[in-house]
C-alpha cells in the first residue's frame, strides 16, 4: 500500500499492480544495499550497533553510486 502512496505523491493519477510491484522490488533492493553499507560502516567504527548516522551515510554512498 505504501508504494502506491509514493506513486500518488509523485503525481500518478493511476497506477498498475505491475508498477507497484516493480517499485516494491526496487525499493527493497536499495534498502538492502543501504542496510549492508550501514552495517559495514558500523563494523568499521568498531560497533555492533548500527546508528542513524551509519544509515544516513550509507544512503548517500549507495544513492551516489546508483546515479
Amino acid at each position: 500500500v505504501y508504494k502506491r502512496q509514493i506513486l500518488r505523491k509523485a503525481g500518478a493519477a493511476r497506477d498498475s499492480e505491475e508498477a507497484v510491484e516493480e517499485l516494491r522490488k526496487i525499493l527493497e533492493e536499495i534498502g538492502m544495499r543501504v542496510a549492508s553499507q550501514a552495517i559495514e560502516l558500523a563494523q568499521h567504527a568498531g560497533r555492533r550497533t548500527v546508528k542513524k548516522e551509519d544509515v544516513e551515510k550509507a544512503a548517500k554512498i549507495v544513492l551516489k553510486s546508483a546515479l
Side-chain angles (χ1 to χ4, degrees), residues 6 8 11-12 14 16-17 21 23 34-35 38 47 51 53 56 60 65:
I6 292 173
R8 297 285 165 87
R14 299 178 66 187
S16 68
E17 288 298 322
E21 178 60 22
L23 182 58
V34 170
R47 292 183 274 105
K51 294 185 174 185
E53 295 80 14
E56 290 171 341
K60 288 179 184 177
S65 71

Side-chain angles (χ1 to χ4, degrees), residues 38 47 49-58:
R47 292 183 274 105
T49 302
V50 176
K51 294 185 174 185
K52 175 185 172 187
E53 295 80 14
D54 298 323
V55 175
E56 290 171 341
K57 187 169 184 177

Side-chain angles (χ1 to χ4, degrees), residues 28-48:
E28 184 175 347
E29 176 63 29
I30 292 170
M32 289 296 292
R33 290 180 187 183
V34 170
S36 294
Q37 183 67 46
I39 291 167
E40 285 184 34
L41 291 169
Q43 289 174 341
H44 182 72
R47 292 183 274 105
R48 290 178 26 187

Side-chain angles (χ1 to χ4, degrees), residues 3 6-7 19-28:
K3 281 70 68 183
I6 292 173
L7 288 169
V20 173
E21 178 60 22
E22 187 62 22
L23 182 58
R24 183 199 64 77
K25 288 178 186 177
I26 291 167
L27 291 176
E28 184 175 347

